[in-house]
C-alpha cells in the first residue's frame, strides 16, 4: 500500500526562497552569523510551537475543582506563546531566513517531544508543561549567549524579554503543582486553596 504525501508543494516557479537557505539581510549582519542565528531561532520557534499545542490541549481538557483558574491561566499562557512565536518568526525573516513551519519542520528543530493525543490527569499534564517551559528556558539562555557572542543585541534583547515571560509562567505552574494544590498522587481527595 502506498501513501499519498501530506505536503502540498506549489510549482517551484513560485518559490522565493528555499527552506534552510539564508539570504542577505538589511540588518548588516554577515550571512554566516545570520545562518547561525536563524538555526537557533528556528529551534526556539519549533519548541514554542510544540509547547503552545500542548498547553492549548491541556486548556481544552482541564477539569476538576480548580479548572476555572487553571483554564484561564492556560488560555493566557497559550496566547503568550503565540506572541513569542510570532516575534521570533519576524526576527528570523529579518535575518534573511525562513521560519520553521509544518509538522516536519517543527519536529526537525524542536527540543521537545510531542505529547501523545490521550487525555491525561491535570497534575501530570501541568508537570509536562512545566518540563517544556524549563527545557525552553535552558535553550533560551544558550541562544541569548549566542546572540551576545556574535554581536546581535536586538536578538539578544528579544530573547531576554521572552525568557522573563517563560520563567513567570513556569513559576505559576510550580505554584499549581505545589503539594497542597490539585490532586496529590498519594491521596484520593482534592485540596482547595
Amino acid at each position: 500500500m502506498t501513501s499519498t504525501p501530506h505536503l502540498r508543494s506549489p510549482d517551484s516557479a513560485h518559490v522565493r526562497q528555499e527552506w534552510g537557505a539564508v539570504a542577505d539581510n538589511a540588518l548588516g549582519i554577515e550571512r554566516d552569523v545570520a545562518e547561525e542565528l536563524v538555526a537557533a531561532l528556528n529551534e526556539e520557534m519549533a519548541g514554542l510551537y510544540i509547547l503552545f499545542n500542548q498547553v492549548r490541549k491541556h486548556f481544552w481538557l482541564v477539569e476538576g475543582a480548580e479548572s476555572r483558574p487553571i483554564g484561564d491561566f492556560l488560555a493566557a499562557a497559550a496566547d503568550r506563546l503565540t506572541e513569542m512565536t510570532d516575534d521570533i518568526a519576524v526576527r528570523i525573516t529579518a535575518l534573511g531566513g525562513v521560519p520553521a513551519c509544518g509538522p516536519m519542520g517543527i519536529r526537525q528543530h524542536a527540543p521537545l517531544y510531542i505529547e501523545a493525543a490521550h487525555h491525561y490527569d491535570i497534575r501530570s499534564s501541568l508537570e509536562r508543561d512545566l518540563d517544556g517551559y524549563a527545557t525552553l528556558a535552558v535553550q533560551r539562555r544558550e541562544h541569548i549567549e549566542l546572540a551576545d557572542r556574535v554581536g546581535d543585541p536586538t536578538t539578544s534583547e528579544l530573547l531576554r524579554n521572552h525568557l522573563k515571560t517563560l520563567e513567570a509562567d513556569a513559576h505559576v505552574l510550580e505554584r499549581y503543582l505545589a503539594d497542597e494544590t490539585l490532586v496529590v498522587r498519594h491521596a484520593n481527595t482534592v485540596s482547595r486553596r
Side-chain angles (χ1 to χ4, degrees), residues 9-18:
S9 185
D11 187 301
S12 62
H14 300 287
V15 174
R16 295 184 64 188
Q17 182 177 343
E18 288 186 19

Side-chain angles (χ1 to χ4, degrees), residues 60-172:
W60 296 330
L61 298 174
V62 68
E63 59 189 7
E66 296 185 60
S67 61
R68 170 75 71 161
I70 293 172
D72 290 347
F73 166 74
L74 292 173
D79 289 345
R80 287 186 289 277
L81 291 166
T82 297
E83 289 173 21
M84 285 186 252
T85 303
D86 289 345
D87 288 349
I88 290 172
V90 167
R91 187 65 184 167
I92 289 169
T93 303
L95 289 166
V98 177
C101 61
M104 292 179 358
I106 296 300
R107 287 187 1 209
Q108 178 183 352
H109 290 88
L112 306 174
Y113 291 104
I114 297 170
E115 179 180 270
H118 308 301
H119 181 173
Y120 299 98
D121 63 89
I122 191 60
R123 178 169 280 280
S124 63
S125 294
L126 294 181
E127 286 171 349
R128 278 189 303 287
D129 292 343
L130 181 57
D131 184 58
Y133 275 94
T135 299
L136 294 185
V138 168
Q139 176 182 265
R140 181 73 42 100
R141 288 184 196 96
E142 292 169 359
H143 293 157
I144 290 168
E145 289 177 13
L146 168 66
D148 288 341
R149 188 176 70 249
V150 299
D152 183 358
T154 303
T155 296
S156 179
E157 182 179 352
L158 172 71
L159 295 175
R160 283 179 202 283
N161 289 338
H162 289 314
L163 177 59
K164 292 175 188 174
T165 303
L166 288 174
E167 289 174 341
D169 283 353
H171 180 67
V172 172

